Amino acid sequence: MSADPLNRAGASTRTPANPPLNGPGTSAIEVRRSARRRRTVSAYREGDRTVVLIPARMSEAEEQRWVSVMLDKLAAQESKRVLGDGELAERARRLSDQYFEGRARPATVRWVTNQNTRWGSCTPSEGSIRLSHRLQGMPEYVVDYVLLHELAHLLVPGHGPRFWRLLDAYPRTERARGYLEGVVAAERLPHVPGARDE
């Protein structure tokens, strides 16, 4: 296992060779080992990275297990947090700066409850973006994708090749689209009553 010194407290940092394939932040995971840490494991988001703090004595198998557990915990915490309209607008600004060089500047960004067949909508002439309340509780990377999709419409109105090239900048585009397609497919499934319902 390769480790780079992190500080004088006996800590080291590394990116797992085989990161778990679940959780929204798996493309950028940094594991930091600390000799001071005895039993506790913690994790937090740092930009597009997930940092997992573990005791230095853990084996690689324990590390992989704990990284997976912590990614699941972070995803569960994030799915319970609902952004307000102000936070949503700030998030749109940061995403525009990060992926579109700040060129997409909406006048308003807000949640709406009257969009049951669309995830989001944009009126370029007004600079307004609306996201369906059904996105609340979904992983952050999915909300980010829908925001970016609508922000891209401020720059390119249709869904032509130029539009999709803009979205190619977001590394989780395909994953988010797959997630949303799965939600739509699940909604179409007939309800199968369980044994207790019969």
Side-chain angles (χ1 to χ4, degrees), residues 44-61:
Y44 60 91
R45 303 281 191 216
E46 190 174 82
D48 282 345
R49 249 184 338 175
T50 301
V51 177
V52 182
L53 308 170
I54 64 172
R57 63 173 174 69
M58 271 193 185
S59 68
E60 283 196 41

Side-chain angles (χ1 to χ4, degrees), residues 64-77:
Q64 288 295 314
R65 185 177 71 80
W66 275 107
V67 167
S68 179
V69 165
M70 297 313 289
L71 286 173
D72 289 344
K73 279 189 173 187
L74 280 175
Q77 288 169 358

Side-chain angles (χ1 to χ4, degrees), residues 62-186:
E62 288 175 307
E63 173 187 310
Q64 288 295 314
R65 185 177 71 80
W66 275 107
V67 167
S68 179
V69 165
M70 297 313 289
L71 286 173
D72 289 344
K73 279 189 173 187
L74 280 175
Q77 288 169 358
E78 290 167 352
S79 72
K80 290 177 187 164
R81 183 171 176 266
V82 176
L83 300 173
D85 288 350
E87 292 172 300
L88 201 57
E90 175 58 24
R91 190 178 201 105
R93 186 195 62 74
R94 284 196 316 266
L95 288 167
S96 176
D97 288 347
Q98 184 174 358
Y99 295 103
F100 302 148
E101 300 170 344
R103 292 178 295 134
R105 289 281 179 226
T108 60
V109 181
R110 61 191 174 91
W111 296 108
V112 294
T113 56
N114 62 350
Q115 288 189 149
N116 294 316
T117 59
R118 304 169 121 185
W119 298 114
S121 62
C122 174
T123 306
S125 62
E126 298 173 2
S128 62
I129 290 176
R130 296 159 304 280
L131 296 191
S132 172
H133 72 286
R134 296 181 308 136
L135 288 164
Q136 293 173 342
M138 290 190 188
E140 287 186 1
Y141 74 97
V142 175
V143 175
D144 285 352
Y145 164 73
V146 177
L147 264 176
L148 279 165
H149 184 107
E150 302 310 330
L151 285 166
H153 280 307
L154 292 175
L155 304 173
V156 180
H159 289 103
R162 201 167 133 240
F163 174 85
W164 292 111
R165 275 195 301 275
L166 280 174
L167 284 180
D168 283 344
Y170 183 56
R172 296 183 182 140
T173 290
E174 289 306 313
R175 184 173 184 185
R177 289 182 73 191
Y179 184 100
L180 293 171
E181 287 170 6
V183 170
V184 170

